[in-house]
Amino acid sequence: MPSRRPRDPLSAGAVTMAEVAREAGVSRATVSRVLSGSAEVAPERRDRILAAIDALGYIPSAGAQQLAGGRSRSIGLLIRDSRNPTYGLLHSEVQRRADEAGLEVITAMPTSYRGAPHEMDALRRLLALRVGGLLVATGVVRTADLTQFAPVLPVVSVGRPEDDPAVYGVSYDETGNGHAIARALHDHGHRRVAVVCPPTEHSLAESLRGRTVTAVLRELGCEVVEVPTTQFGTAADGTDRVIDLARDGVVTAAMFSSDLRMLDFVSRARGVGVEVPRDLAVIGCDGVMHGLEYMGLASLRVPVEEVARRSVEVIAQMMADRESVGIRHETYTGQLLPGASLGP
Amino acid sequence: MPSRRPRDPLSAGAVTMAEVAREAGVSRATVSRVLSGSAEVAPERRDRILAAIDALGYIPSAGAQQLAGGRSRSIGLLIRDSRNPTYGLLHSEVQRRADEAGLEVITAMPTSYRGAPHEMDALRRLLALRVGGLLVATGVVRTADLTQFAPVLPVVSVGRPEDDPAVYGVSYDETGNGHAIARALHDHGHRRVAVVCPPTEHSLAESLRGRTVTAVLRELGCEVVEVPTTQFGTAADGTDRVIDLARDGVVTAAMFSSDLRMLDFVSRARGVGVEVPRDLAVIGCDGVMHGLEYMGLASLRVPVEEVARRSVEVIAQMMADRESVGIRHETYTGQLLPGASLGP
DNA sequence: CTGAAAGCGCTAACAT
DNA sequence: ATGTTAGCGCTTTCAG
């Protein structure tokens, strides 16, 4: 017979239900009942138990609860790096809505851009915690990698283009948004435009935006120069290219697939004497960053709050009754934020 | 004898180690050994087990592991609402450093400002998960409420003023930062300054910053008008007050305890014809928000990256060997970001 | 209304 | 090197 394993030094001090039960002079089952409210307990014992819990500072082990009980009230949120204010806001809003719905959120955040495998690791951690639902709000991991989990637990793709019939999607209307941006450029008289956006692998959403704007502008009879971009601050980010295009008069405006890119551009352009909108008109996308209006930078505000609200609503309903929810792909349209940067 | 409880519908489909063992034709212990690498396993069986894991899509239950094994490789991060870019960056940096150190991060985020009790709830969730260490990066929960956990697990107070002898602190040098801000104002010739900051209950750090700046300015012989602030966008946020002070020529400059407040002010001031720095010089604090330089707004960049790096380093060391780390309160000084908003 | 006891999925001795 | 087994802390029947 194995000897009693000594308490692990790290988890030592964690009060158990048994200790609470002893302190209150009842059985563990009764303590459990009080905590879960799953059955009536004599008021007098109830109070004694509650007092013991308080005195001992007892906090039930989520692991043991999950193991014994099964179902989980928590949703896993896989979200990108909150260095980007749009993700910061989304995170915050999801959290708020989940709180309101009485759901716990467990967040996993893959670091910056380290690729899809890294995101899958983060996802696995969430699944290891046996969350009851999954909100995926990163731009990189492919939906194909998610479908395998869809039969096991509710999955909602948040704020990213989604078309897989097995995964519910709540996202931005990139098409509508692209139209709005293209029209704004056209309305301001621009006929030759640079469109700066990253490749698909880097960000599904941004890439789709860029392609939509390009397509619509061309439909409207504009010339479009597509400028691929990768990392910020490197020679490959397209900034120099756009500056050249502006100087040479090849384009009169540039569209950036995110406000961060736009801001990065205007700062560096100013550094070399290229002023917005004097030498080049610009418009970005996201509309979340603070100070856009103050800077006079035009953008398109994506409906983060609405997407967050609806995502939590959907996952909550799925968790309550899986069958009651048919898979859909909802999109929400943003609103143009005009600005002096579009030109006269 | 209780009947076998049917599999819970929600956790159904979660493959167990027993199934993997059966599939591979070995015992559960062997599977466990392969996963943890705690002992040598014959290569041939190893491969069979790995194949089974892959085929079945097995993901170990973190709850069961924690329950059986005891110690945890995960740290709990209690962090404020990432709507504020400074917290967003901090979150992101902590995550990155933890990744590097091979630690998992479990994040709990109390919604916006809902007070200390709400933060304690979030904290309790982290403790329920039996995290091996705690990083507290919120501005509201009092340290007194943390000390009770300090004996049980390593706790580090991050980016918030700390003076409790039982809790390790890694934070910003609010005193040094306050001095730098005050000197910058003084150097630019300002002798009458408004200092806008919230009360202690709202944010320990901001309030301390404001008080330091006030004190130093007075030492330097300046007149200071303290303007208390509460929520953004309400009449009580101090904006109107500062506008009046500027119009009446009572002050020539204003210091804001955070860049968000500063930006909010300059936007609204411009709306009523008060321009920065023409009518009033301003300086903020945090220096993280994008576009500050472009807007010409002066600030003080707090060393978020350094604080994040060091916090993770400390908690990692504490988790490895509790005794090896003596409680200290470290502070890191920021760097002044000059800007046209300080005036000529 | 309450207690006893059987597991949940896993790890870590212990015995081969 | 591998199997056997005793719990980890909790929930949930099943009997009182």
Side-chain angles (χ1 to χ4, degrees):
Chain A
M1 184 204 328
S3 67
R4 181 172 217 82
R5 174 159 32 99
R7 285 187 79 100
D8 183 282
L10 261 185
S11 53
V15 181
T16 73
M17 185 177 270
E19 301 178 49
V20 173
R22 192 179 326 117
E23 174 85 8
V26 300
S27 75
R28 298 178 329 190
T30 306
V31 176
S32 176
R33 286 191 266 255
V34 168
L35 261 96
S36 64
S38 60
E40 286 299 297
V41 172
E44 180 258 349
R45 319 191 110 197
R46 230 186 79 91
D47 292 346
R48 245 183 320 144
I49 291 170
L50 256 17
I53 287 175
D54 205 55
L56 269 43
Y58 169 65
I59 296 179
S61 155
Q65 281 182 318
Q66 186 271 308
L67 198 55
R71 72 181 55 243
S72 166
R73 288 296 297 160
S74 63
I75 61 183
L77 173 64
L78 185 72
I79 192 165
R80 191 168 189 172
D81 204 324
S82 51
R83 176 175 319 234
N84 180 327
T86 308
Y87 284 102
L89 178 61
L90 179 58
H91 190 168
S92 171
E93 284 293 303
V94 165
Q95 183 70 54
R96 187 166 71 84
R97 293 301 186 174
D99 273 3
E100 288 174 7
L103 292 170
E104 287 186 6
V105 175
I106 299 181
T107 304
M109 181 161 58
T111 334
S112 294
Y113 176 63
R114 295 233 272 122
H118 184 61
E119 291 195 2
M120 287 302 285
D121 280 355
L123 187 57
R124 234 183 299 277
R125 270 186 277 147
L126 253 18
L127 289 156
L129 289 168
R130 298 295 188 261
V131 294
L134 209 51
L135 254 28
V136 180
T138 47
V140 181
V141 73
R142 289 166 315 155
T143 300
D145 293 325
L146 297 180
T147 37
Q148 58 179 305
F149 304 118
V152 184
L153 86 176
V155 179
V156 175
S157 198
V158 182
R160 44 181 260 145
E162 186 56 71
D163 55 9
D164 192 296
V167 175
Y168 205 108
V170 178
S171 46
Y172 307 123
D173 175 13
E174 302 295 355
T175 309
N177 292 346
H179 271 268
I181 291 173
R183 286 205 58 104
L185 286 164
H186 190 263
D187 287 352
H188 277 78
H190 299 290
R191 295 296 178 268
R192 287 164 291 122
V193 179
V195 171
V196 185
C197 82
T200 314
E201 321 83 74
H202 196 110
S203 167
L204 249 47
E206 285 190 43
S207 144
L208 179 52
R209 268 173 211 173
R211 279 178 285 131
T212 306
V213 172
T214 299
V216 177
L217 281 174
R218 284 185 175 148
E219 271 173 33
L220 293 171
C222 298
E223 268 177 50
V224 176
V225 180
E226 296 178 81
V227 179
T229 180
T230 54
Q231 304 284 26
F232 291 113
T234 71
D237 72 354
T239 299
D240 295 341
R241 180 80 197 290
V242 176
I243 288 173
D244 286 345
L245 290 172
R247 278 186 171 146
D248 299 345
V250 178
V251 300
T252 63
M255 179 266 169
F256 296 84
S257 59
S258 85
D259 291 338
L260 243 27
R261 295 182 196 281
M262 169 172 64
L263 182 57
D264 191 55
F265 172 82
V266 296
S267 303
R268 295 177 58 196
R270 180 190 278 180
V272 297
V274 172
E275 284 287 339
V276 164
R278 191 193 64 194
D279 305 313
L280 185 75
V282 300
I283 184 168
C285 191
D286 277 351
V288 172
M289 180 189 292
H290 298 274
L292 281 176
E293 193 186 339
Y294 189 75
M295 292 185 274
L297 295 174
S299 184
L300 188 134
R301 176 59 148 84
V302 293
V304 179
E305 293 83 349
E306 209 171 343
V307 163
R309 179 191 58 70
R310 182 58 184 153
S311 302
V312 172
E313 193 172 275
V314 169
I315 199 98
Q317 197 179 343
M318 283 178 146
M319 286 169 73
D321 176 11
R322 190 64 185 281
E323 308 312 320
S324 71
V325 186
I327 302 293
R328 296 204 308 156
H329 298 142
E330 308 175 14
T331 60
Y332 293 85
T333 308
Q335 194 184 354
L336 196 80
L337 298 181
S341 71
L342 270 175
Chain B
M1 186 204 324
S3 67
R4 181 172 216 82
R5 177 159 28 101
R7 286 186 78 99
D8 183 282
L10 262 184
S11 53
V15 181
T16 74
M17 184 177 272
E19 302 178 48
V20 172
R22 193 178 327 119
E23 174 86 8
V26 299
S27 75
R28 296 175 331 182
T30 306
V31 176
S32 176
R33 285 191 266 256
V34 168
L35 262 97
S36 66
S38 59
E40 286 299 295
V41 172
E44 179 257 348
R45 320 191 110 199
R46 232 187 74 92
D47 292 347
R48 240 180 329 138
I49 290 169
L50 257 17
I53 287 174
D54 206 55
L56 270 41
Y58 169 66
I59 296 179
S61 155
Q65 281 181 316
Q66 184 270 309
L67 199 55
R71 74 179 56 244
S72 166
R73 290 294 298 158
S74 63
I75 61 183
L77 173 64
L78 186 71
I79 193 165
R80 193 168 187 171
D81 203 325
S82 52
R83 176 174 317 232
N84 181 328
T86 309
Y87 284 102
L89 178 60
L90 179 59
H91 190 168
S92 171
E93 284 293 302
V94 165
Q95 182 71 54
R96 186 166 71 84
R97 293 301 186 175
D99 273 2
E100 288 174 9
L103 293 169
E104 287 187 5
V105 176
I106 299 181
T107 305
M109 181 162 54
T111 336
S112 293
Y113 176 63
R114 297 235 271 123
H118 185 61
E119 291 195 1
M120 288 302 285
D121 279 356
L123 188 56
R124 233 182 300 277
R125 269 184 278 149
L126 254 19
L127 289 154
L129 288 166
R130 297 295 187 259
V131 293
L134 210 51
L135 254 29
V136 180
T138 47
V140 180
V141 74
R142 291 165 311 156
T143 299
D145 292 325
L146 298 179
T147 35
Q148 57 178 307
F149 304 118
V152 184
L153 86 175
V155 179
V156 175
S157 198
V158 181
R160 43 180 261 147
E162 188 54 72
D163 55 8
D164 191 297
V167 175
Y168 205 107
V170 179
S171 45
Y172 307 123
D173 175 12
E174 301 295 354
T175 309
N177 291 348
H179 272 267
I181 291 173
R183 285 205 58 103
L185 286 164
H186 189 263
D187 286 353
H188 277 77
H190 299 290
R191 296 298 178 266
R192 288 165 290 125
V193 179
V195 171
V196 184
C197 82
T200 313
E201 320 84 74
H202 196 110
S203 167
L204 246 49
E206 286 191 43
S207 141
L208 179 53
R209 268 173 211 173
R211 280 179 284 131
T212 307
V213 171
T214 299
V216 178
L217 281 172
R218 285 186 174 146
E219 271 172 34
L220 293 170
C222 297
E223 269 177 50
V224 176
V225 181
E226 297 178 82
V227 180
T229 180
T230 53
Q231 302 284 27
F232 292 112
T234 69
D237 73 353
T239 299
D240 294 341
R241 180 80 195 291
V242 176
I243 288 174
D244 285 344
L245 290 171
R247 279 185 170 148
D248 299 346
V250 178
V251 300
T252 63
M255 178 267 169
F256 296 83
S257 58
S258 85
D259 291 337
L260 244 26
R261 293 181 197 283
M262 169 172 65
L263 181 57
D264 190 56
F265 172 82
V266 296
S267 302
R268 295 177 57 197
R270 179 189 277 181
V272 298
V274 172
E275 284 288 338
V276 165
R278 190 193 65 193
D279 305 313
L280 185 75
V282 299
I283 185 170
C285 191
D286 278 350
V288 172
M289 181 189 293
H290 298 276
L292 281 175
E293 193 186 339
Y294 189 75
M295 292 184 273
L297 295 174
S299 185
L300 187 133
R301 177 58 146 85
V302 293
V304 179
E305 293 84 350
E306 209 171 344
V307 163
R309 180 192 57 72
R310 182 59 184 150
S311 300
V312 172
E313 192 173 276
V314 169
I315 200 97
Q317 197 178 342
M318 283 179 147
M319 285 168 71
D321 176 12
R322 189 63 184 281
E323 309 310 321
S324 71
V325 186
I327 301 292
R328 297 204 308 156
H329 297 142
E330 308 176 12
T331 60
Y332 294 85
T333 308
Q335 194 183 355
L336 196 79
L337 299 182
S341 72
L342 270 175

